[in-house]
Amino acid sequence: MNARAAAPDAVLLAGPTASGKSDWALALAARVPLEIVSVDSAQVYRGFDIGSAKPSPALRASLPHHLVDIRDPVQTYSAGEFVADALRAIRGIQSRGRLPLLVGGTMLYYRALVHGIAPLPGADPALRRELDERAARLGWPALHAELTALDPESAGRIHPNDAQRIQRALEVQRLSGQPISAGQRATTPEHGLRLQRWALVPGDRAALAQRIAARFDAMLAAGFVDEVRALHSRGDLSASTPALRAVGYRQLWEHLSGLVGLDAAVERAKAATRQLARRQLTWIRADADWRSVDPLLPGARERWLEAVVATLRQRGPAPG
């Protein structure tokens, strides 16, 4: 695991859910003065704590975390907003002489930060109504199949029930005549930051599936159902609220709405989490500039720590 010559302005640590990103980040924090920028589309929401594996208030008091609890669940949060917020956080961390460490698994946010945001067509209300009406008749998986034929690259990254992203991809295709993925590939970032990118990629997928199941069981034991029940009882959220597309929350919401039993909801949630992990790995494999590390191999974390610390020494005084 060789360090690159240029010292990074920030380090990115991505990977599928349950791959150990948070533990690796804390291990680096024990060696390097740093602050963490969350790259997680669920952790931005207040009240989404257990199911998003949000760091505890005590941990956040001792190790600053940014972009956590910055939205109410009734609000939306876009990749563009993430980039603007992340860049502000990175500059602030740099001004304090610390390393910005970006950690999370929302690969769309990483792509927007690393590659820029495409100048895509604006929303077309009439077209969106048409797509909504078709989805009401056929279901979003049917529209996802249509997207697969038009833009297999984007479809491979979007869940068949992710109404908002399916709708947007089909909207861009119709309005521009080009796949949304083509516009995204053509973008370039404007921030000029040197971003050192690492991805945890478990080689044993069966072991990853076991970790996913164990983590979800631990969330249930910690009160995940009660957390979703509190959200459900608010009265201003619904199954169509964008925040509730988050894996685990969506399935438990269905249970609390009386659509499925708890056991079935749990199995659906675990299956959806495995699917999410596969999509996260697809994003990583599609970009060769992610440096992959198998977190399940003996000694992998220590070798990673040594490699990152070696590059950071080029920034000035030795870290720690």
Side-chain angles (χ1 to χ4, degrees), residues 10-11 22 25 37 43-44 79 92 103 108 114-115 162 173 199 210 221 239 246-247 254 309:
V11 172
S22 296
V37 180
Q43 290 187 5
V44 300
V103 184
L108 176 64
V114 171
H115 298 294
D162 191 338
Q173 175 80 33
Q210 292 173 353
V247 168
E254 292 172 349
V309 170

Side-chain angles (χ1 to χ4, degrees), residues 103-173:
V103 184
T106 301
M107 300 307 298
L108 176 64
Y109 289 1
Y110 278 123
R111 195 217 66 80
L113 177 67
V114 171
H115 298 294
I117 298 177
L120 300 174
D124 185 312
L127 178 53
R128 290 191 171 189
R129 282 194 299 272
E130 175 192 328
L131 292 170
D132 283 338
E133 291 168 0
R134 291 181 57 211
R137 295 195 312 272
L138 305 173
W140 285 107
L143 272 68
H144 184 270
E146 178 181 325
L147 178 63
T148 299
L150 295 169
D151 186 2
E153 181 179 341
S154 292
R157 298 171 177 170
I158 300 175
H159 189 275
N161 288 317
D162 191 338
Q164 185 179 40
R165 293 181 64 199
I166 295 170
Q167 181 189 68
R168 180 57 176 158
L170 289 172
E171 178 184 46
V172 170
Q173 175 80 33

Side-chain angles (χ1 to χ4, degrees), residues 253-282:
W253 187 276
E254 292 172 349
H255 162 63
L256 293 170
S257 299
L259 300 177
V260 296
L262 179 58
D263 289 345
V266 168
E267 289 309 309
R268 289 185 183 185
K270 290 179 179 178
T273 308
R274 293 193 297 271
Q275 293 168 355
L276 170 62
R278 287 195 290 270
R279 292 195 302 276
Q280 290 167 320
L281 290 168
T282 296

Side-chain angles (χ1 to χ4, degrees), residues 165-206:
R165 293 181 64 199
I166 295 170
Q167 181 189 68
R168 180 57 176 158
L170 289 172
E171 178 184 46
V172 170
Q173 175 80 33
R174 182 86 67 85
L175 294 176
S176 68
Q178 297 291 328
I180 192 172
S181 58
Q184 290 170 339
R185 284 196 304 272
T187 60
T188 55
E190 298 179 356
H191 50 67
L193 294 173
R194 295 185 301 275
L195 303 175
Q196 185 182 95
R197 292 192 274 155
W198 298 91
L200 303 187
V201 180
D204 187 339
R205 301 303 161 81

Side-chain angles (χ1 to χ4, degrees), residues 58-92:
L59 175 58
R60 284 149 55 192
S62 62
L63 175 61
H65 285 64
H66 302 267
L67 309 194
V68 173
D69 286 347
I70 60 172
R71 289 289 187 278
D72 185 85
V74 77
Q75 299 174 300
T76 60
Y77 191 67
S78 68
E81 289 174 302
F82 165 78
V83 171
D85 290 342
L87 290 175
R88 279 194 293 271
I90 289 169
R91 299 302 189 193

